[in-house]
Amino acid sequence: MRLLRKHSTPDLDQRLVWQCASLLLSYPDEGRLDTAGQLLAQLDGPVAEHLSLTVTALQAADPLQAAQDYVASFDLRRRATMYLTYWTAGDTRNRGGAMLSFAQVYRGAGVAPPADEAPDYLPVVLEFAATVDPEAGLRLLAEHRVPIDVLHQALSEKSSPYSHAVAAVLATLPAATETDMRRARTLAADGPPAEAVGLQPFTLTVPPRRTGEESS
């Protein structure tokens, strides 16, 4: 799969990667995994190999263990958060405006922001890019490449199978610049901006409870 250049229009393969990755990076569910496998069958090359590693690992996992691993990988480790504005704005008053920008892009494409999830949540952004507005979705992803790089690094350090799905997403984005790489290293070392005031009404740093966790 070719890397995208600035202003390129996403093709079908890139949209398939985004939809497949969205499913794989969502809370583990047998139906989502089956659909991801069907999408994967339409892809080939290195990106397909990345996605296949995640699919194979999740298929082999016990469902309860897979759910526990997912929560431990993403919900309990801030370095591996999939809330993209957390890395660009942290717990500061700027984060509300950053998330509002995502919501405005969705509305501009004719769809309502998700009611049960934050608009900057990576699986949501990937599904929007795959199924609603590929060009606007690509811009959101490319603008937040550094947080996605940080996420990939954190997952790779833990040998998480989810790291391969994130690697597939990165392969569809414009190549990182030296500035991008420096920012990623700085964020990974120092963490996001901190200012625990001014977030109302945006209080989404702690991920919402997902279906299936109610009785755990």
Side-chain angles (χ1 to χ4, degrees):
M1 178 177 291
R2 63 182 174 81
L3 291 176
L4 292 177
R5 291 187 174 86
K6 190 175 182 181
H7 303 311
S8 293
T9 299
D11 61 23
L12 178 59
D13 280 355
Q14 281 134 4
R15 295 171 66 181
L16 287 171
V17 170
W18 294 336
Q19 183 64 75
C20 187
S22 175
L23 294 166
L24 294 176
L25 293 172
S26 297
Y27 191 80
D29 174 89
E30 185 176 348
R32 290 194 189 106
L33 189 57
D34 289 344
T35 302
Q38 294 169 14
L39 295 172
L40 178 58
Q42 302 178 58
L43 295 165
D44 56 24
V47 175
E49 293 174 12
H50 280 304
L51 294 169
S52 180
L53 288 170
T54 303
V55 169
T56 299
L58 295 181
Q59 286 175 334
D62 171 77
L64 179 59
Q65 186 62 52
Q68 292 173 343
D69 289 346
Y70 182 89
V71 172
S73 295
F74 298 113
D75 291 355
L76 303 181
R77 297 184 62 241
R78 294 199 303 177
R79 271 198 69 201
T81 183
M82 289 195 285
Y83 294 91
L84 299 179
T85 64
Y86 179 78
W87 285 107
T88 55
D91 280 336
T92 75
R93 69 193 80 200
N94 294 327
R95 189 167 177 226
M99 285 195 288
L100 181 60
S101 295
F102 278 80
Q104 289 173 334
V105 171
Y106 298 158
R107 292 190 182 99
V111 296
D116 57 353
E117 190 53 271
D120 64 332
Y121 186 55
L122 181 56
V124 169
V125 182
L126 289 168
E127 183 168 4
F128 170 79
T131 64
V132 179
D133 190 329
E135 292 190 27
L138 172 60
R139 286 196 297 272
L140 287 175
L141 292 167
E143 288 167 2
H144 293 82
R145 182 190 171 104
V146 170
I148 300 172
D149 272 318
V150 174
L151 171 64
H152 178 249
Q153 179 181 334
L155 294 172
S156 297
E157 289 173 358
K158 294 295 183 180
S159 299
S160 168
Y162 294 106
S163 67
H164 306 296
V166 178
V169 172
L170 288 170
T172 68
L173 304 181
T177 65
E178 281 294 328
T179 300
D180 289 337
M181 291 187 285
R182 284 197 299 271
R183 285 182 60 207
R185 288 193 294 268
T186 299
L187 279 175
D190 300 340
E195 175 189 295
V197 296
L199 280 178
Q200 290 78 9
F202 298 92
T203 55
L204 293 168
T205 296
V206 178
R209 184 178 293 274
R210 295 179 175 80
T211 303
E213 292 183 61
E214 311 294 340
S215 60
S216 60

